[in-house]
């Protein structure tokens, strides 16, 4: 019996010793590249939007705090004209409970086409990564009060992560709307 | 007149060309400088939230309860208690390895007394390192919250109804329950997830007392380990189905002649649709050994059901019926009904009020509770 008890302990200990310890850079990481390639062409161009003036103020209202960076990256197809009608992909970050969640949002025709969790670092709330959750954002737009036009059902035990993803979906839609009309 | 205009035009032309040349060079260099500056500012801004993080929660309670028993005078408990003050500290070593911890002071004060009795506790409830094995698998090593129940892992005051935590999870599970050990987690895109844990077990020197048997990883006896497994489904937004099984090799950790192995089975459901949420939980322990049998404590069990409704984004009401027993016999069966309201002036701040009616045999404890809680 004592010998049997040791087997699962040794198994777990062996797995822990075999863990990879190499770091993956979080900026422009493989997750981000794969996300952009999935929804735009491989040649999509990265651009930056500076959060100044009204953009800074409205972003703070949506998040209930200032955004963590002074500019945010977004991607458009190589031949796109920086206008709001072009398909864009945004990579934004928000803290759920303690740590940043990296979230990708694809917008076309002022509607969310896709939301994907690119990096989840929290100890709880991983369920926001599930397609059954992120699909709820598809087709959602922003109303006059900068709220989503579609209801998003929450996840028990993941309230803060759900809130973070919802805030970022609203922020991406707002930033997209500030791009110039063609 | 003409002679004056020509030099003026020539000088203007030269001046404009100089301005154009300087502007192009300057703008190009300025762009590079601004980009470099922005990158540096962003790097310095993001280094804090992505590496070391601080959070916390706390709750203040006011209890006003009266206990009545046939043939005895009523007794009243009127008490204000800063029940929990908790700080989280976390650190991300890299994208695959991170640390979590929870440091707690209970009842606001810990005082050294000659007889060892005092009002509070200082304890580390969590302190573990988490490793990403892949996108779907993690491993944890350290002091880890046991994967069981609803409130054991998620217990920040704004996340639940009622001033005090529900008695079934407190007495039967017993929450908050953490162990030193190793854990593996896995999850699928369909919404299924699992947890497997090997850890310290309970140590009940009487062979059956569950709640007082928590060793809290403080020089914990590890002669007989515990094995925990949980399966959870969250594939439909608003729905959580989970079941946990735990095997304790020997609650007495080898100190009793009759081995007291024990098995915990727990299952729960949470379903939220629009503003309505229903929670239900059932848990039971089966304890072997002559000591548990002699004390009629070889089986303890309990359940609760809790419907709640969000009237607005800030107001919610709930009701909860709890039923449990740790010792066999109808006189030992306990029930408690709670009804109350939560008010969130901010999503992370909550005010609570509830009435409770508790019954154990002919002993009744009724009254109301008020509370304020926060998380950040």
């Amino acid at each position: 019996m004592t010998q049997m008890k040791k087997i699962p302990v040794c198994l777990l200990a062996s797995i822990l010793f075999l863990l990879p310890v190499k770091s993956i850079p979080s900026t422009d990481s493989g997750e981000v590249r794969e996300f952009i390639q999935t929804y735009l062409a491989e040649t999509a161009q990265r651009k930056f939007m500076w959060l100044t003036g009204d953009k800074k103020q409205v972003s703070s209202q949506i998040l209930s705090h200032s955004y963590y960076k002074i500019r945010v990256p977004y991607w458009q197809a190589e031949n796109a004209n920086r206008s709001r009608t072009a398909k864009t992909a945004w990579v934004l970050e928000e803290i759920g409970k303690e740590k940043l969640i990296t979230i990708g949002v694809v917008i076309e025709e002022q509607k969310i086409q896709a939301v994907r969790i690119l990096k989840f670092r929290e100890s709880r709330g991983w369920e926001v990564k599930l397609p059954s959750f992120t699909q709820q954002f598809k087709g959602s737009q922003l109303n006059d009060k900068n709220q989503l036009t579609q209801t998003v059902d929450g996840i028990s035990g993941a309230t803060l992560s759900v809130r973070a993803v919802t805030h970022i979906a609203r922020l991406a839609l707002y930033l997209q709307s500030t791009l110039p009309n063609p | 007149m003409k002679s004056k205009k020509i030099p003026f035009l020539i000088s203007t032309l030269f001046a404009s060309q100089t301005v154009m040349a300087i502007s192009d060079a300057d703008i190009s260099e300025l762009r590079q400088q601004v980009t470099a500056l922005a990158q540096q500012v962003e790097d310095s801004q993001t280094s804090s939230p992505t590496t070391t993080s601080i959070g916390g929660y706390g709750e203040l309670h006011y209890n006003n309860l009266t206990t009545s028993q046939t043939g005895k005078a009523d007794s009243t408990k009127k008490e204000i208690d800063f029940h929990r003050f908790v700080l989280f500290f976390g650190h991300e070593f890299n994208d695959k390895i991170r640390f979590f911890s929870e440091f707690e002071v209970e009842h606001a004060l810990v005082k050294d007394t000659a007889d060892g009795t005092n009002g509070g506790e200082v304890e580390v409830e969590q302190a573990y390192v988490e490793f990403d094995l892949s996108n779907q698998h993690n491993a944890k090593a350290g002091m880890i919250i046991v994967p069981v129940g609803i409130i054991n892992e998620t217990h920040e005051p704004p996340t639940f109804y009622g001033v005090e935590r529900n008695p079934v999870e407190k007495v039967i599970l017993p929450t908050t329950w953490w162990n030193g050990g190793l854990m593996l987690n896995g999850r699928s895109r369909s919404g299924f997830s699992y947890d497997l844990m090997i850890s310290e077990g309970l140590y009940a020197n009487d062979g059956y007392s569950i709640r007082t048997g928590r060793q809290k990883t403080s020089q914990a006896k590890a002669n007989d380990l515990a094995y925990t497994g949980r399966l959870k489904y969250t594939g439909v937004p608003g729905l959580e189905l989970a079941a946990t099984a735990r095997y304790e090799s020997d609650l007495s950790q080898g100190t009793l002649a009759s081995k007291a192995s024990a098995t915990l089975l727990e299952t729960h459901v949470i379903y939220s649709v629009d503003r309505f949420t229903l929670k239900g939980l059932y848990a039971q322990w089966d304890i072997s050994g002559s000591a548990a049998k002699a004390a009629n404590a070889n089986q303890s069990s309990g359940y609760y059901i809790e419907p709640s409704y969000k009237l607005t984004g800030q107001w919610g009401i709930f009701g909860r019926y709890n039923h449990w027993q740790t010792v066999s016999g109808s006189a030992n069966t306990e029930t408690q009904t709670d009804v109350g309201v939560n008010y969130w002036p901010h999503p992370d701040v909550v005010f609570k009020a509830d009435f409770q009616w508790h019954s154990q045999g002919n002993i009744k404890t009724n009254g109301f509770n008020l509370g304020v809680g926060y998380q950040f």
Side-chain angles (χ1 to χ4, degrees):
Chain A
M1 185 62 188
T2 310
Q3 194 64 31
M4 282 181 68
K5 280 183 197 171
K6 286 181 180 172
I7 292 171
V9 178
C10 294
L11 187 65
L12 268 175
S14 310
I15 290 168
L16 289 176
F17 277 116
L18 291 172
L19 289 176
V21 291
K22 191 179 168 188
S23 169
I24 292 176
S26 59
T27 55
D28 202 21
S29 64
E31 288 93 345
V32 173
R33 283 196 298 275
E34 195 265 331
F35 169 68
I36 299 303
Q37 285 169 16
T38 302
Y39 290 99
L40 292 167
E42 205 165 309
T43 54
Q45 286 183 334
R46 185 175 70 169
K47 299 164 183 174
F48 286 98
M49 176 177 284
W50 290 75
L51 300 182
T52 54
D54 285 349
K55 292 189 194 100
K56 184 176 182 181
Q57 191 181 348
V58 177
S59 299
S60 299
Q61 286 170 0
I62 289 172
L63 299 174
S64 300
H65 62 80
S66 300
Y67 192 68
Y68 308 105
K69 297 178 181 176
I70 55 179
R71 56 180 190 161
V72 297
Y74 67 98
W75 283 256
Q76 284 184 330
E78 194 175 18
N79 55 355
N81 55 3
R82 278 182 180 262
S83 76
R84 72 180 66 168
T85 55
K87 183 178 178 181
T88 52
W90 301 77
V91 174
L92 302 163
E93 293 185 310
E94 173 64 322
I95 290 178
K97 184 164 178 283
E98 296 172 72
K99 298 181 182 299
L100 284 173
I101 306 170
T102 306
I103 304 161
V105 184
V106 181
I107 300 171
E108 190 167 24
E109 300 292 333
Q110 299 291 298
K111 292 179 184 172
I112 291 179
Q113 193 185 75
V115 169
R116 189 188 284 187
I117 308 305
L118 304 176
K119 189 68 189 175
F120 189 83
R121 305 171 180 87
E122 299 277 11
S123 58
R124 284 180 276 146
W126 65 270
E127 290 90 346
V128 294
K129 294 172 73 173
L130 292 173
S132 57
F133 173 73
T134 54
Q135 279 168 5
Q136 295 183 96
F137 292 91
K138 189 171 182 180
S140 201
Q141 293 178 280
L142 217 52
N143 65 18
D144 295 342
K145 295 178 179 175
N146 285 333
Q147 298 291 334
L148 297 179
T149 53
Q150 294 177 189
T151 305
V152 175
D153 286 330
I155 298 166
S156 176
T159 311
L160 298 176
S161 298
V162 169
R163 192 199 307 171
V165 179
T166 306
H167 282 178
I168 289 302
R170 291 168 56 204
L171 179 62
L173 280 167
Y174 164 72
L175 294 177
Q176 164 86 11
S177 73
T178 64
L179 291 170
N181 265 324
Chain B
M1 188 69 183
K2 277 184 182 175
S3 62
K4 282 185 182 175
K5 275 186 178 177
I6 289 168
F8 175 73
L9 279 171
I10 290 169
S11 62
T12 306
L13 191 61
F14 273 113
S16 66
Q17 283 177 337
T18 309
V19 167
M20 287 292 287
I22 290 170
S23 295
D24 285 346
D26 275 354
I27 286 169
S28 176
E29 191 175 344
L30 204 58
R31 275 184 179 156
Q32 291 177 30
Q33 289 172 349
V34 168
T35 303
L37 192 62
Q39 191 64 55
Q40 189 166 354
V41 169
E42 285 168 2
D43 288 348
S44 64
Q45 281 181 328
T46 56
S47 63
S48 174
T50 54
T51 54
T52 302
S53 55
I54 297 174
Y57 72 86
E59 53 191 329
L60 175 78
H61 297 169
Y62 171 71
N63 308 117
N64 189 323
L65 304 169
T66 301
T67 301
S68 56
Q69 186 176 4
T70 310
K72 288 188 176 180
D74 289 358
S75 63
T76 302
K77 175 189 178 185
K78 292 182 180 178
E79 182 179 275
I80 297 177
D81 182 31
F82 202 103
H83 198 144
R84 297 179 180 90
F85 176 83
V86 178
L87 291 174
F88 303 128
F89 296 97
H91 184 76
E92 192 167 354
F93 299 101
N94 61 35
D95 264 13
K96 288 182 179 292
I97 304 176
R98 56 197 77 88
F99 168 75
F100 295 92
S101 71
E102 185 175 329
F103 180 79
E104 176 165 337
V105 177
E106 286 198 353
H107 307 295
L109 174 71
V110 178
K111 192 170 66 176
D112 189 22
T113 53
D115 61 358
T117 59
N118 59 51
E121 280 181 71
V122 176
E123 55 198 22
V124 179
E125 284 198 354
Q126 298 185 70
Y128 64 85
V129 181
E130 182 180 69
F131 305 85
D132 290 350
L133 303 176
S134 68
N135 281 339
Q136 279 80 40
H137 292 86
N138 303 87
K140 296 176 182 175
M143 285 171 60
I144 309 162
I145 295 273
V146 178
V148 64
I150 296 173
I151 216 164
N152 199 48
E153 289 176 295
T154 305
H155 44 240
E156 291 81 355
T159 65
F160 65 91
Y161 284 96
V163 174
E164 302 289 350
R165 296 175 182 176
N166 74 79
V168 173
E169 291 192 72
K170 178 183 173 184
V171 175
I172 302 296
L173 288 186
T175 190
T176 306
W177 190 14
W178 66 92
N179 291 160
L182 301 170
M183 186 151 92
L184 278 177
N185 317 104
R187 49 192 172 268
S188 74
R189 285 172 62 83
S190 60
F192 281 100
S193 62
Y194 73 85
D195 304 274
L196 295 172
M197 183 179 185
I198 299 174
S199 65
E200 82 199 36
L202 296 165
Y203 171 46
N205 55 14
D206 59 8
Y208 56 85
S209 293
I210 297 298
R211 184 164 179 81
T212 56
R214 293 177 301 167
Q215 300 198 76
K216 303 187 176 183
T217 324
S218 175
Q219 297 176 312
K221 289 181 181 293
N223 303 320
D224 295 278
L225 299 176
Y227 307 89
T228 309
R230 176 176 68 179
L231 187 63
K232 189 157 81 167
Y233 177 72
T234 49
V236 176
L239 176 67
E240 176 177 317
L241 293 168
T244 292
R246 178 172 171 108
Y247 176 72
E248 296 270 348
S249 307
D250 186 357
L251 292 181
S252 75
Q253 295 291 329
T255 58
L256 296 179
S258 174
K259 189 174 178 181
S261 63
T263 305
L264 167 68
L265 297 173
E266 181 272 341
T267 186
H268 68 256
V269 59
I270 303 172
Y271 186 56
S272 298
V273 54
D274 199 13
R275 296 178 174 191
F276 178 75
T277 296
L278 182 69
K279 294 181 180 179
L281 178 144
Y282 174 80
Q284 75 167 52
W285 279 98
D286 287 296
I287 305 168
S288 65
S290 54
K293 197 169 184 180
N296 285 327
N298 50 342
Q299 189 175 72
S300 62
S301 63
Y303 67 88
Y304 73 86
I305 185 163
E306 179 194 289
S308 61
Y309 187 78
K310 287 286 281 287
L311 301 168
T312 67
Q314 292 184 305
W315 290 92
I317 54 174
F318 83 103
R320 185 168 57 226
Y321 177 73
N322 311 269
H323 182 285
W324 73 100
Q325 65 175 30
T326 54
V327 179
S328 301
S330 58
N332 299 310
T333 298
E334 296 181 62
T335 63
Q336 183 172 308
T337 303
D338 309 277
V339 295
V341 61
N342 277 18
Y343 167 64
W344 293 269
H346 180 279
D348 295 325
V349 178
V350 66
F351 289 90
K352 302 179 180 183
D354 63 63
F355 289 96
Q356 74 167 59
W357 295 271
H358 174 263
S359 170
Q360 182 181 14
N362 64 353
I363 305 170
K364 316 284 183 195
T365 303
N366 304 330
F368 67 93
N369 306 290
L370 304 172
V372 59
Y374 62 86
Q375 63 178 354
F376 60 91

